[in-house]
């Protein structure tokens, strides 16, 4: 099953399992022998499969595709066994909260396979009468899970709903409606993998819809005469097919409209990229053509016809805007879609011209289909690029020039041949040469006002066209002139920027400024300009070399020997001189392309260039032997570029031999070490890059053993630079052998290769085993009783250097394993290193030994670590004892599951008895004593937490029975377990007492370990209901701050052993917090108390039991409730914020906030603190604390099984929750979504159907549900009205002020003053352009202000009319009237079109706010809430006629709502 995880091996593994399964089914004897008592063969394989799925959740997709369909066809009885093993009944009944996401995904997969096999009747056997409401089981379940909080579950549900074995089966109407409700959630998915999965589902959905449209229109064409009769349409005599066709048409119309909204400015990156990918699929499937001019004309829908007519205008406008987006993939996909769209337009134009030769070549339906519009867009984009110099603007300019290049040559009849490709290229290269000259004259002026990157990017995209030479309409001589100018421009660009990029520390390069120069240019600006210039010139050269269609054929004077040599020499020089890592990484790809072009040439002179460049590289390595950097800058790229083009043959063998020779060469030092030349460093770095290069993988296989030896030899050098490069080479070789990153954890899971693969590795490379032994034996020169500085005179290595040799050997063992023939010797050497005087070496050896010990030999190996010393009665050195204790600690920590196995628990106790006796007289080191205490404490904690599940089950049983006072917290079980726990408890107590009485020096670690041990023993005592003060007394007796902090940590970790409703732990926290303690300890106590109160609240919230509680005044003032908090650390402030929510929830459960003015004031203060903590300007930890604080309070927002609480005092809390759901961080949003899920999880709630359980919702759905609750519950609240107005118009939310706003607050000298900011000022601010090179990222990239304004406008539409006084309505009307005038002024001031002022995100957003507010006013007019305003109507009519943004135009309110 493990091989089923991988995409490449999954299908083969599935077929193998099916074949084996079939053989077992055919052999009855074999099947019976595999079964066990009480379990059939089917039950056994089902259990094995489920275990594999829970271990590797990524298995599910391959199981569904490659295993289950064929496996379940063998025997239907196995389907029943599988269905009984899965929680399908709980899922269909809506008990989703009990299931993990793996359960949900697996159930969906199995149910889908079962229904495809036609075995749905088997599902009836496990459903027990579940009402499906005319749906299949998969449809019923998947529909619910489309809004689940897990993206993986949502994707599985969508896949199950839209899957069909036939591509012509129509989608049910309910499903099309459901998709309209949930698809926006998938477009906003932050996870890229989930977005890719979603796009693959949409691709299949489009293919299915296309097939459905084709079949239905074909069927309807038979009765076209009837369908075309208007009377029939008016009478509504549609057939089933025609209704289905109309449903699909309306769905696609809605989806296309959604895509436009997702492409608007200010939308988040996930929404932009998802919409662009779906648009690509829409074009590729041919569905767009079918919708715009296809067979749907049989059933014209007015709405769809209007959308199709306006769609290209809005789409192209938005795509041109996105070409200047900040994200590279958004710009790339937008440009690609523009090209695809215009290609489609040109194809239609060609077809139309063929049919009507006298027709105009211009496409009237597309206003952007003319070069003058593109010229305007280019002019605007170049202006943005020059004023700011930003990389995204430069890339946008380049892509727009590329688009214009592709469109040149068309419309010759209309434009008299003015727009020709070669003329465009001439303009581009002339502008580029001017910019380069400016950079040569004054780099600062170039940075400020003449960035050349846009033109370089344009040339790169244009030159990359496969048929560049043919498309450009060049003759060979014209091409030669242009090529020479391009090469000269690249060379001059390098000359202009190399002074900065070749500086040894480019980041520290200082620009020399003239006295007259007042420009604000710093090092970062200059470095960015220079690096980007070199990057783009290198990419341009790469395109020129790699594109065969760039030049004319060789016979007509294509790229010659001189051309390639010039380009190769230029890139080689750059690699040799550059010091900027990003720069030479880019140039290396260009040099590789140049070498490949030369290697594949038919010209023998060109093929010889590789040898010339190789000789120059060797000379460069020697010349730069004294100029050392850690990775040798661009020298390795020179070698890998040459060898990448010649992975086989003499040049490769010669290079490997030369590099081996240089790396093995002895170091020549003069007497004073003043001139150290280390070409070995460069050779080792070159070898490292060669062996990590995927192109050279097969060729380097035979050279790997010798290179391993060279790497190990380098570790023995006495020069750090060589040892360091040798170590990097060795790590690269290990990665080549076993893969991975080399990061090894101390968990119990094995990190090395399986035994068979390790054996094959050592058989393939015999030298590896000898190298491991050689490295492991290096510490033998160090006296374990010495101070670690003994010199190995034979090797000229000091002891630290000798010790460093051991770590690579341990890395090899950890990642590859031990050679089979050397296991005993290597393990003995590892045991020897447990005695090392170097702590890190002991630690590493202990970690490796703990991972290598098998479970069956675990106990004997534990005892063996102490056996020699125990038998001989001698005292181990403290280093040796520490190493053995570390090993024991890692063994137990890495295999916690053994503590839950009774047999191993008993053996563990017996085998460690000797250790427990040994400790009392032999341990004198405080470090070893601390580890010993940690070992014992860990065993006790594991025993306690391992049985906590049984305690909790008994506690739940007693709670349901109402017998709270007689919960048996330590139920009687078999004596061995109880005795074992008591024994280890006694062991911890004895050890603590012995160490306290001894003369061991008390280090911080030992003080902490003693405190944890004492607190743990006290907690065990307090499990007895008769003893309730032991833990508190122990904690109060810890007078050392370090000890007290460690004790609190132990208390927090182990509070779960108590019943959630027991009051004793709560009293401990309350009493300790009432005392004067240090801030760190108070922080831990507050975090522990918050978690304890939350556990209590959820337990009481589920059971609705009356539980006696301490007096509220005992705990409510544990935190400050003052407006001005005392100065504390951020961590303490966050813990206080979380604790406030838990304390208020606790207090509210046993009192009424409405009747207690003091509690009401505390709630308001908490709301203000939440607002500040959840603000976008707060750091992530504070926002997480605010979200957690609301989470603690959620049981009050919806107590027990009642309806969501809508008290006026809770409005501010709901609004903070709304802010949390729109946070930029996914973790914060997830917490908010869980709170909303709790609020709407009541089975008796009118907001949810019965039986949905507390399924976690995705944040997008949670927002909509919360807004619906607010609109329903607070529609008569003036504060809510002001909040909605503030969010609609972009003001600071009214809840910030907390006090209730009334009209009298806005009266000055008898004149009403609007509480909304003057809209003219807002437009003035929005028009300001940010010309900085590095734009500061917005605090929240997730929230979409356009979507926000639309949402809150809809809220205001549903506000109670009694809440809307004259002050509110007049203020909004005045604001809207001025805003519409500003929009008209912008339309009059500027020609419309993309990348203009109206496309500026801030202006566009403000315009949408004004139009949405106008929509609200028009609705109020129709509902007679306000009087008709002729001025408003006149401005709206003018706006409809103006040249404004098409997405503004679509939002202008109509005369009738």
């Amino acid at each position: 099953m493990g091989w089923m995880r991988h995409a490449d091996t999954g299908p083969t593994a599935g077929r193998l399992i099916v074949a084996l399964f079939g053989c077992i089914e055919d052999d009855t004897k074999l099947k019976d022998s595999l079964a066990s008592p009480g379990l059939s063969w089917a039950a056994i394989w089902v259990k094995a499969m489920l275990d594999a799925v829970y271990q590797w959740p990524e298995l599910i997709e391959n199981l569904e595709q490659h295993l289950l369909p064929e496996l379940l066809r063998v025997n239907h009885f196995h389907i029943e066994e599988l269905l009984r093993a899965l929680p399908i009944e709980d899922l269909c009944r809506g008990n989703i909260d009990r299931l993990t996401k793996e359960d949900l995904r697996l159930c969906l997969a199995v149910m889908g396979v079962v229904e495809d096999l036609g075995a749905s009747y088997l599902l009836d056997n496990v459903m027990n009468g579940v009402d499906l409401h005319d749906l299949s089981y998969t449809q019923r379940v998947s529909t619910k899970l489309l809004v689940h909080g897990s993206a993986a579950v949502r994707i599985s549900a969508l896949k199950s709903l839209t899957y069909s074995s036939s591509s012509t089966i129509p989608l049910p109407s309910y499903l099309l409606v459901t998709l309209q409700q949930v698809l926006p959630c998938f477009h906003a998915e932050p996870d890229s993998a989930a977005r890719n999965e979603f796009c693959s589902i949409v691709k299949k959905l489009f293919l299915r819809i296309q097939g459905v449209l084709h079949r239905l229109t074909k069927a309807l064409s038979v009765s076209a005469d009837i369908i075309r009769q208007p009377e029939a349409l008016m009478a509504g005599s549609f057939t089933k097919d025609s209704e289905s066709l109309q449903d699909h048409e309306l769905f696609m119309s809605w989806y296309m409209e959604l895509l436009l909204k997702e492409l608007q400015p200010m939308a988040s990156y996930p929404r932009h990229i998802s919409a662009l990918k779906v648009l690509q699929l829409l074009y590729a499937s041919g569905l767009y053509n079918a919708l715009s001019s296809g067979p749907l004309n049989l059933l014209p829908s007015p709405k769809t016809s209007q959308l199709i007519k306006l769609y290209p205008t809005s789409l192209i406008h938005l795509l041109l805007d996105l070409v200047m987006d900040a994200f590279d993939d958004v710009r790339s996909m937008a440009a690609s879609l523009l090209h695809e769209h215009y290609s489609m337009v040109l194809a239609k134009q060609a077809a139309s011209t063929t049919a009507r030769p006298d027709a105009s070549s211009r496409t009237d339906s597309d206003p952007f289909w003319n070069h003058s519009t593109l010229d305007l867009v280019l002019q605007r984009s170049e202006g943005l690029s020059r004023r700011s110099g930003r990389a995204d603007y430069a890339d946008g300019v380049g892509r727009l020039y590329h688009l214009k290049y592709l469109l040149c040559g068309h419309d010759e009849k209309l434009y008299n041949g003015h727009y020709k490709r070669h003329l465009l290229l001439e303009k581009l290269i002339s502008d580029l040469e001017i910019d380069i000259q400016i950079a040569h004259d004054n780099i600062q002026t170039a940075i400020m006002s003449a960035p050349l990157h846009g033109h370089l990017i344009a040339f790169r995209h244009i030159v990359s066209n496969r048929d560049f030479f043919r498309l450009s309409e060049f003759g060979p001589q014209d091409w030669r002139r242009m090529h020479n100018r391009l090469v000269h421009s690249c060379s001059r660009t390098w000359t202009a920027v190399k002074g900065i990029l070749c500086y040894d520390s480019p980041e520290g390069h200082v620009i020399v400024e003239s006295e007259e120069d007042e420009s604000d240019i710093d090092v970062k600006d200059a470095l960015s300009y220079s690096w980007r210039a070199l990057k783009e010139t290198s990419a341009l050269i790469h395109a020129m070399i790699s594109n065969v269609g760039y030049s004319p054929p060789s016979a007509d004077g294509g790229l010659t020997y001189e051309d390639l040599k010039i380009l190769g020499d230029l890139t080689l020089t750059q690699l040799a001189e550059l010091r900027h890592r990003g720069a030479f990484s880019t140039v290396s790809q260009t040099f590789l392309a140049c070498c490949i072009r030369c290697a594949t040439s038919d010209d023998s002179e060109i093929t010889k260039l590789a040898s010339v460049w190789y000789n120059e590289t060797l000379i460069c390595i020697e010349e730069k032997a004294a100029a050392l950097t850690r990775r040798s800058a661009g020298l390795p790229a020179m070698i890998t570029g040459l060898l990448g083009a010649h992975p086989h043959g003499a040049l490769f063998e010669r290079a490997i031999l030369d590099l081996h020779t240089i790396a093995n060469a002895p170091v020549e030092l003069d007497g004073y070490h003043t001139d150290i030349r280390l070409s070995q460093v460069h050779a080792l770095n070159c070898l490292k890059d060669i062996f990590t290069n995927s192109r050279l993988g097969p060729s380097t296989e035979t050279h790997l053993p010798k290179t391993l030896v060279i790497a190990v030899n380098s570790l023995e050098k006495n020069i750090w630079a060589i040892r360091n490069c040798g170590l990097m080479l060795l790590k690269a070789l290990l990665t080549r052998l076993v893969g991975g990153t080399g990061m090894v954890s101390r968990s119990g899971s094995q990190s090395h290769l399986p035994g068979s693969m390790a054996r094959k590795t050592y058989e393939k490379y015999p030298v590896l085993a000898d190298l491991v032994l050689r490295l492991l034996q290096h510490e033998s020169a160090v006296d374990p009783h010495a101070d670690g500085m003994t010199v190995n005179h034979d090797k000229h290595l000091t002891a630290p250097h000798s010790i460093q040799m051991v770590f690579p050997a341990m890395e090899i063992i950890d990642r590859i394993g031990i050679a089979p023939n050397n296991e005993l010797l290597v393990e003995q050497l590892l045991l020897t290193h447990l005695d090392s005087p170097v702590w890190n070496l002991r630690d590493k050896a202990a970690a490796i030994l703990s991972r290598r010990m098998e479970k069956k030999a675990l106990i004997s190996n534990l005892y063996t670590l102490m056996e020699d010393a125990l038998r001989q009665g001698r005292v181990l050195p403290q280093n040796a004892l520490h190493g053995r204790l570390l090993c024991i600690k890692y063994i137990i920590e890495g295999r916690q599951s053994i503590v839950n196995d009774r047999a191993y628990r008993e053996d563990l106790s017996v085998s460690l008895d000797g250790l427990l006796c040994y400790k009392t007289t032999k341990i004198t080191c405080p470090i070893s004593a601390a580890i010993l205490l940690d070992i014992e404490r860990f065993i006790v904690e594991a025993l306690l937490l391992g049985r906590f599940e049984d305690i909790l089950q008994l506690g739940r049983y007693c709670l349901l029975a109402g017998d709270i006072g007689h919960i048996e917290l330590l139920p009687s079980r078999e004596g061995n377990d109880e005795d074992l726990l008591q024994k280890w408890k006694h062991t911890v107590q004895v050890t603590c007492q012995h160490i306290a009485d001894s003369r061991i020096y008390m280090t911080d670690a030992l003080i902490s370990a003693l405190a944890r041990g004492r607190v743990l023993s006290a907690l065990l005592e307090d499990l007895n209901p008769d003893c309730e003060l032991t833990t508190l007394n122990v904690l109060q007796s810890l007078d050392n701050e370090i000890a007290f902090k460690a004790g609190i940590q132990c208390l927090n970790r182990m509070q779960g052993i108590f019943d959630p409703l027991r009051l004793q732990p709560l009293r401990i926290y309350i009493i300790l917090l009432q005392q004067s303690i240090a801030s760190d300890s108070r922080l831990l106590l507050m975090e522990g108390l918050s978690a304890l109160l939350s556990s209590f609240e959820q337990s009481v919230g589920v059971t609705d039991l009356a539980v006696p509680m301490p007096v509220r005044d005992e705990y409510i003032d544990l935190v400050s409730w003052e407006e001005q908090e005392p100065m504390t650390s951020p961590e303490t402030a966050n813990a206080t914020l979380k604790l406030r929510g838990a304390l208020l929830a606790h207090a509210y459960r046993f009192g009424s906030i409405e009747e207690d003015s003091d509690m009401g004031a505390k709630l308001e203060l908490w709301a203000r603190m939440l607002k500040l903590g959840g603000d976008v300007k707060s750091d992530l930890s504070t926002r997480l604390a605010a979200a957690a604080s609301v989470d603690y309070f959620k049981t009050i927002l919806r107590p027990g099984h009642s309806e969501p609480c809508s008290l006026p005092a809770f409005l501010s809390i709901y609004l903070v929750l709304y802010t949390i759901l729109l946070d930029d961080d996914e973790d914060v949003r997830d917490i908010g979504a869980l709170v909303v899920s709790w609020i709407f999880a009541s089975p008796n709630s009118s907001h949810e159907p019965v039986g949905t359980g507390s399924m976690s919702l995705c944040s997008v759905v949670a927002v909509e549900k919360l807004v619906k609750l607010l609109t329903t519950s607070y529609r008569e609240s003036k504060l809510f009205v002001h909040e909605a107005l503030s969010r609609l118009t972009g003001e600071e939310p009214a809840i910030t002020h907390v006090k209730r706003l009334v009209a009298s607050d806005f009266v000055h000298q008898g004149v009403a003053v609007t509480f909304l900011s003057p809209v003219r000022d807002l437009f003035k601010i929005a028009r300001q352009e940010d010309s900085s090179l590095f734009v500061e990222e917005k605090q929240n990239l997730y929230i979409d202000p356009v979507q926000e304004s639309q949402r809150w406008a809809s809220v205001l539409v549903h506000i109670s009319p009694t809440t809307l006084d004259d002050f509110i309505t007049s203020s909004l009307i005045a604001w809207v009237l001025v805003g519409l005038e500003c929009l008209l002024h912008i339309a009059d001031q500027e020609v419309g079109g993309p990348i203009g002022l109206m496309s500026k995100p801030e202006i566009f957003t403000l315009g949408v706010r004004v139009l949405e507010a106008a929509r609200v006013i028009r609705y109020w007019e129709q509902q007679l809430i306000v009087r008709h305003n002729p001025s408003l109507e006149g401005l709206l009519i003018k706006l409809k006629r103006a040249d404004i943004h098409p997405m503004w135009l679509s939002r202008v309110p109509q005369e009738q709502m």
Side-chain angles (χ1 to χ4, degrees), residues 965 967-970 1021-1028 1062 1064:
I967 297 178
E968 184 66 29
L969 290 177
L970 280 176
E1021 295 288 344
D1022 284 345
L1023 282 175
N1024 186 344
D1026 297 332
C1027 302
E1028 294 200 350
R1062 190 172 177 186
Q1064 181 210 357

Side-chain angles (χ1 to χ4, degrees), residues 498-515:
K498 69 178 182 179
I500 295 176
L501 297 178
C502 296
Y503 195 72
D504 283 342
S505 179
E507 295 80 3
H509 181 75
V510 178
I511 299 177
V512 179
E513 300 182 2
S514 61
E515 295 181 1

Side-chain angles (χ1 to χ4, degrees), residues 810-827:
M810 292 187 176
E811 185 75 14
I812 295 173
I813 295 171
D814 225 358
R815 300 181 64 182
I816 299 179
I818 300 177
N821 298 333
N822 296 340
E823 283 188 354
L824 293 178
L825 180 57
V826 170
E827 289 184 1

Side-chain angles (χ1 to χ4, degrees), residues 1176-1178 1183 1224 1336-1341:
V1176 294
K1177 298 177 182 178
S1178 301
R1183 302 201 311 272
D1224 191 56
E1336 184 177 353
E1337 192 176 69
K1338 292 190 301 180
Q1339 295 285 347
N1340 191 329
L1341 294 174

Side-chain angles (χ1 to χ4, degrees), residues 378-448:
L378 273 169
Q379 179 184 351
R380 291 173 174 175
S381 61
E382 283 194 281
L384 285 174
S385 178
R386 288 187 178 276
R387 289 192 297 271
S388 66
R390 284 170 49 180
D392 51 350
Y393 288 169
D395 186 65
V397 170
R399 294 184 186 278
L400 288 172
Y401 267 116
H402 180 221
L403 179 63
K404 183 174 179 59
Y405 170 83
L406 293 174
L407 299 180
C408 281
H410 302 283
D411 291 351
E412 294 184 13
K413 181 178 178 181
L414 182 64
Y415 295 106
N416 299 319
H418 178 69
Y419 292 96
K420 289 283 191 178
R421 292 192 175 106
H422 68 275
L423 296 177
L424 176 63
L425 293 176
E426 177 65 29
K427 174 186 179 301
L428 275 175
I429 199 165
S430 298
D431 291 345
L432 176 60
E433 289 170 342
I434 293 173
D435 290 340
I436 294 174
Q437 184 60 47
I438 294 174
H440 267 274
D441 296 340
N442 190 328
I443 191 72
Q444 292 175 302
T445 304
I447 295 172
M448 286 294 296

Side-chain angles (χ1 to χ4, degrees), residues 233-294:
L233 292 175
M234 295 297 292
S237 56
F238 289 106
T239 63
K240 183 179 179 180
D241 285 346
S242 64
E243 291 176 353
S244 179
L245 181 62
Q246 191 174 39
D247 289 340
H248 286 76
E249 177 195 20
L250 291 175
F251 170 75
M252 287 307 303
S253 300
W254 168 86
Y255 203 180
M256 292 165 67
E257 195 171 357
L258 173 67
L259 294 177
L260 290 181
K261 294 178 181 178
E262 299 294 275
L263 294 177
Q264 291 177 144
M266 302 299 287
S268 64
Y269 166 78
R271 292 171 57 199
H272 274 161
I273 200 67
S274 297
L276 290 169
K277 289 182 178 180
V278 171
L279 271 172
Q280 280 190 334
L281 297 174
L282 185 64
Y283 278 108
S285 66
L287 202 51
Y288 178 80
N289 280 333
L291 291 168
S292 60
S293 59

